[in-house]
Amino acid sequence: MSSNSKTSPTAKPTANRRSKVLPELNKKDLGNLIPRRGGKLTPKIGRMLMKSAGWKTVGSIPNISQAVVLAVPHTSNIDGIYALPCLFALDLKISIMGKHTLFKIPVLAQLIRWLGIIPINREAKGSVLQASIDKFKNNKTLFLGLAPEGTRKYTDSWKTGFYYLAVGANVPILPVALDYNTKEVRFLETVYPTGNIEEDLPKIYAQYGGVVPYHPERLSQPLQDVNRAFKG
């Protein structure tokens, strides 16, 4: 496992720590097929919060209507404090799965739907994987966010359900990274799964080379291996 040092999310970034390859990503860069929140005030608030915190969004998103979006590395609940303003600023709608029982309270249901949470019944007959595939079949526009590490603590491997979901739903995988060293939310290169997980997973891992999470000591083993290769 890596060292116990942690980069403070409040530290001021310097120019040479920013991404030198990926361009800044703004709301105007998103194509017409990409799921949008449709708010007018929310993007302004998101941009204000990101500017105040010193964060920026970089990379690109292809003009597609469906994708499995990977939130990696996810080592702290604090990740959401920076991720949400980014999504708001882009007017980008990324949905996540939530227990169907949460939707039984009308006021709460309205709020969590606005946040992008969609219900799933994990106790219903059939697999969660198939239920997730059905979400894509029933929604023409859907970016579904998943955290393949499956935990905010160290893990020696990723859960591969996200990959088989993308294959089963015939949608691409869009990796996204939160880098606390550069204070960037990075939208990385889209991967179109071939069905050969042994070949495709390394392509996804490799894009996270050099990314520093909030808790570096909790970085998953696949990304530790990538970082060692990245540092040479």
Side-chain angles (χ1 to χ4, degrees):
M1 293 174 64
S2 60
S3 67
N4 291 329
S5 61
K6 180 170 69 177
T7 301
S8 169
T10 59
K12 292 289 185 180
T14 57
N16 61 356
R17 287 166 55 194
R18 293 294 197 185
S19 173
K20 298 180 180 179
V21 178
L22 301 177
E24 186 168 358
L25 181 63
N26 297 297
K27 176 183 173 182
K28 62 180 177 61
D29 299 319
L30 271 59
N32 63 310
L33 299 180
I34 295 173
R36 309 294 283 268
R37 303 188 65 87
K40 294 182 179 180
L41 180 60
T42 307
K44 295 179 181 179
I45 295 175
R47 289 193 297 270
M48 179 184 67
L49 292 174
M50 290 190 70
K51 184 176 180 180
S52 175
W55 280 65
K56 66 187 299 187
T57 307
V58 300
S60 63
I61 304 175
N63 192 21
I64 53 178
S65 60
Q66 295 183 324
V68 171
V69 181
L70 304 186
V72 183
H74 182 35
T75 64
S76 171
N77 284 328
I78 289 178
D79 294 340
I81 294 176
Y82 300 108
L84 280 176
C86 158
L87 301 184
F88 291 161
L90 292 176
D91 192 33
L92 175 63
K93 184 177 181 181
I94 296 181
S95 300
I96 60 174
M97 296 288 196
K99 293 181 180 179
H100 71 289
T101 53
L102 295 174
F103 292 79
K104 292 183 177 181
I105 304 173
V107 176
L108 179 60
Q110 186 176 5
L111 173 62
I112 59 182
R113 280 196 176 93
W114 180 81
L115 289 172
I117 300 174
I118 55 179
I120 186 169
N121 186 353
R122 297 180 182 276
E123 298 176 359
K125 291 183 179 180
S127 68
V128 173
L129 174 59
Q130 185 57 53
S132 301
I133 291 174
D134 290 342
K135 294 294 183 184
F136 280 102
K137 291 181 179 179
N138 297 328
N139 293 273
K140 292 183 179 180
T141 58
L142 177 62
F143 275 22
L144 184 61
L146 298 172
E149 291 158 315
T151 176
R152 290 183 295 276
K153 298 181 180 179
Y154 166 82
T155 180
D156 59 6
S157 63
W158 287 13
K159 295 182 180 297
T160 55
F162 77 90
Y163 183 84
Y164 295 107
L165 167 58
V167 171
N170 193 29
V171 299
I173 298 168
L174 176 58
V176 180
L178 271 75
D179 191 332
Y180 284 84
N181 183 47
T182 59
K183 301 184 81 170
E184 290 174 339
V185 177
R186 297 180 189 166
F187 285 82
L188 304 170
E189 184 177 348
T190 304
V191 174
Y192 289 81
T194 64
N196 187 334
I197 192 170
E198 299 298 329
E199 289 187 0
D200 292 342
L201 270 186
K203 298 176 184 177
I204 297 172
Y205 293 154
Q207 297 196 58
Y208 289 92
V211 172
V212 177
Y214 185 75
H215 289 290
E217 72 277 9
R218 297 181 185 177
L219 192 66
S220 61
Q221 191 60 51
L223 298 193
Q224 289 193 31
D225 295 340
V226 165
N227 275 348
R228 276 195 290 270
F230 179 81
K231 294 176 181 177

